[in-house]
Amino acid sequence: MRIMRAAFASTFDVDNPLAALTVGDQPEPTHPDDDWVTVEVRASSLNRHDLWSLSGVGLTSEQLPMILGCDAVGVDPDGNDVLVYPVVVDPSDPRGLSILSERFPGTLAERVAVPRANLVPVPVGLPVTDAACLPTAWLTAYRMLTDRGRIDEGEAVLVQGAGGGVATAAVVLAVALGKRVYATSRDAAKRDRIAALGATALAPGARLPERVDVVIETVGAATFDHSMKSAKPGARIVVSGATAGHEPKVNLRRVFALQLEILGTSMGTPAELAELLALCVDKGVRPVVDSVYGFSEVSEAFARLHSGEVFGKVVLDHSR
């Protein structure tokens, strides 16, 4: 059996997920079906999903060890530079699908196996460390704004808790799409960086100059009331996370009186990933990268993500 270097969950630790992370040898990826191929990983990026996995969310002890990671850029068997779309059809999952590192081994390894249909060409000129940011956080943000948020029907967007991967991506993409963007952060330094991206930066709970058409909500209970109050009649509040509480109080009278839509979403489609790549090329959009670590520094990269101080994406360069 051939082995490879990988970062994986070897146990679960709710209080200190970093303690559940192991870096070591794992078996080469196998192919569940004939249409699967192996990709040599060149770069990957971390997501909060990886910390949840280390905490035991979405995994069982019988699945351990599980290689972590959803995002990857690499080289396919034909020598092409490809982006890995991380969603796999999975009849055993109630959703009918799963994300890499939930049932099938993830991308934080020398190699990853995926269906050939999950490979998307990397546009010429897009650095691999930028492209590696796109398949999860940036794709989620793109879908939140377009398919779910129908941003083409409005002009103003509120992004709660900018700084993290999805929220920061939503700021950049909404600005690129020509919308007025308001974004909140508890951190004054992060608000300065948000403003530099083209948004109006505000403290959490601050009154907006106008009500917005779309709210991008990844924070949850801590900001949801503000999201509701900031929404104009008929607005869409799109939710893809709940980092600060998953059970907010909801004023249902405001929901029906203003005909608000509260929409959940996760990830996106391969077609939307291709659209996102085209937008990045056409508009010159580049992901906001907090830091780049060599794969030999994967433990330090996880510590950076877990610190809560990140602004943008934490990326792994697998050549180092």
Side-chain angles (χ1 to χ4, degrees):
M1 177 185 295
R2 294 183 63 194
I3 58 174
M4 63 180 182
R5 196 74 168 163
F8 53 94
S10 55
T11 184
F12 302 131
D13 194 320
V14 175
D15 297 323
N16 181 20
L18 299 182
L21 174 67
T22 299
V23 181
D25 292 334
Q26 285 290 288
E28 287 271 354
T30 57
H31 296 173
D33 288 300
D34 292 340
D35 65 333
W36 284 55
V37 297
T38 296
V39 173
E40 297 278 342
V41 180
R42 296 179 61 197
S44 59
S45 67
L46 304 186
N47 294 282
R48 191 155 291 276
H49 182 278
D50 300 311
L51 293 176
W52 293 339
S53 296
L54 292 169
S55 300
V57 177
L59 291 175
T60 64
S61 57
E62 289 75 19
Q63 294 174 283
L64 299 178
M66 175 60 77
I67 297 175
L68 302 168
C70 308
D71 297 335
V73 174
V75 180
D76 72 9
D78 301 319
N80 301 307
D81 291 335
V82 292
L83 194 61
V84 175
Y85 174 67
V87 181
V88 180
V89 174
D90 187 354
S92 69
D93 191 288
R95 302 166 295 177
L97 54 85
S98 62
I99 301 170
L100 292 177
S101 76
E102 291 181 343
R103 181 182 175 199
F104 302 101
T107 59
L108 302 189
E110 294 179 69
R111 286 168 285 282
V112 63
V114 293
R116 185 177 287 275
N118 285 48
L119 304 183
V120 179
V122 177
V124 175
L126 186 63
V128 294
T129 50
D130 284 351
C133 300
L134 300 177
T136 298
W138 278 69
L139 178 58
T140 297
Y142 180 77
R143 181 176 174 82
M144 291 177 81
L145 289 165
T146 57
D147 179 81
R148 302 299 272 165
R150 307 194 305 277
I151 191 57
D152 58 317
E153 300 175 11
E155 296 299 328
V157 181
L158 168 62
V159 180
Q160 297 283 20
V166 174
T168 305
V171 169
V172 174
L173 291 171
V175 169
L177 291 168
K179 306 304 175 180
R180 295 188 298 277
V181 183
Y182 305 95
T184 66
S185 176
R186 294 176 297 174
D187 188 308
K190 288 184 179 181
R191 290 198 293 272
D192 289 341
R193 298 187 69 178
I194 291 165
L197 296 175
T200 298
L202 302 164
R207 186 180 182 88
L208 273 58
E210 60 179 318
R211 289 185 178 179
V212 300
D213 304 282
V214 179
V215 180
I216 300 300
E217 178 62 81
T218 63
V219 179
T223 57
F224 206 80
D225 185 61
H226 182 243
S227 294
M228 297 274 291
K229 291 176 178 177
S230 301
K232 68 167 54 172
R236 283 77 64 196
I237 301 173
V238 189
V239 183
S240 71
T243 57
H246 65 280
E247 294 183 337
K249 291 183 179 179
V250 178
N251 184 337
L252 292 178
R253 286 180 293 187
R254 183 178 289 273
V255 173
F256 66 72
L258 297 183
Q259 300 187 58
L260 302 179
E261 298 179 47
I262 301 174
L263 305 163
T265 193
S266 177
M267 302 297 293
T269 66
E272 287 166 335
L273 181 56
E275 291 172 10
L276 171 60
L277 285 166
L279 177 66
C280 289
V281 172
D282 293 344
K283 301 287 188 179
V285 171
R286 291 294 180 267
V288 178
V289 175
D290 174 87
S291 48
V292 179
Y293 291 83
F295 190 75
S296 60
E297 304 168 301
V298 65
S299 297
E300 291 88 340
F302 267 89
R304 175 66 181 172
L305 178 65
H306 189 244
S307 72
E309 298 175 359
V310 297
F311 189 87
K313 294 289 292 177
V314 176
V315 178
L316 294 174
D317 181 345
H318 288 232
S319 68
R320 291 161 43 192

